[in-house]
């Protein structure tokens, strides 16, 4: 395939996706980050949100949490805490997780609890956004 590069999405439990892709869009700390073949080398911090990659002209979405991406001209490795497909997300469970995280933030716990709650809230929000976008696309 011309104008493609190797993409690997890896979580602590193992590889999530490995394959040749045409384009990649990542949720970076400073906004969406687009990647195509021949990209200049860079390392980017990943925020919870939707990662999209294109294979044979078809976009696929993956919901990811915090991590990093190493991007080179012929490959990209995305290392994230979790990755899941939108169709695998239980909306009710994600809503409960969001509510719990919001409540923990209101309780003004320790600084560690604050950051854990912020991360949980970001993950739940990303999951809910993906489910709602998917539902609206049907």
């Amino acid at each position: 395939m011309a104008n493609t590069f190797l993409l690997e999405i890896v979580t602590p439990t193992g590889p999530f996706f490995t394959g040749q892709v045409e384009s990649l869009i990542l949720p970076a700390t400073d906004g969406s980050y687009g990647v195509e073949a021949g990209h200049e080398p860079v390392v980017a911090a990943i925020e919870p949100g939707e990662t999209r990659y294109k294979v044979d002209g078809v976009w696929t979405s993956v919901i990811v949490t915090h991590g990093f991406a190493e991007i080179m001209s012929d490959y990209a490795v995305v290392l994230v805490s979790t990755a899941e497909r939108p169709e695998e997300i239980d909306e009710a469970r994600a809503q409960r997780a969001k509510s719990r995280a919001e409540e923990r933030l209101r309780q003004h716990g320790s600084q560690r609890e604050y950051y854990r709650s912020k991360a949980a809230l970001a993950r739940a929000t990303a999951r809910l956004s993906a489910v709602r976008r998917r539902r609206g696309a049907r």
Side-chain angles (χ1 to χ4, degrees), residues 1-93:
M1 293 170 77
N3 296 323
T4 63
F5 59 97
L6 178 65
L7 170 62
E8 292 182 83
I9 300 175
V10 182
T11 71
T13 59
F16 179 83
F17 172 83
T18 302
Q20 292 291 319
V21 301
E22 299 160 24
S23 297
L24 170 66
I25 299 175
L26 299 166
T29 55
D30 55 351
S32 293
Y33 197 86
V35 179
E36 293 189 345
H39 197 283
E40 65 182 41
V42 68
V43 173
I46 303 301
E47 289 290 311
E50 181 183 23
T51 291
R52 296 184 307 141
Y53 59 87
K54 183 166 50 168
V55 177
D56 295 329
V58 177
W59 286 98
T60 299
S61 292
V62 177
I63 305 309
V64 298
T65 53
H66 291 96
F68 294 92
E70 177 188 20
I71 299 162
M72 301 298 280
S73 64
D74 58 346
Y75 72 88
V77 178
V78 178
L79 304 167
V80 290
S81 297
T82 62
E84 58 190 328
R85 290 174 176 72
E87 60 271 14
E88 297 170 346
I89 296 171
D90 179 338
E91 183 176 8
R93 182 174 173 223

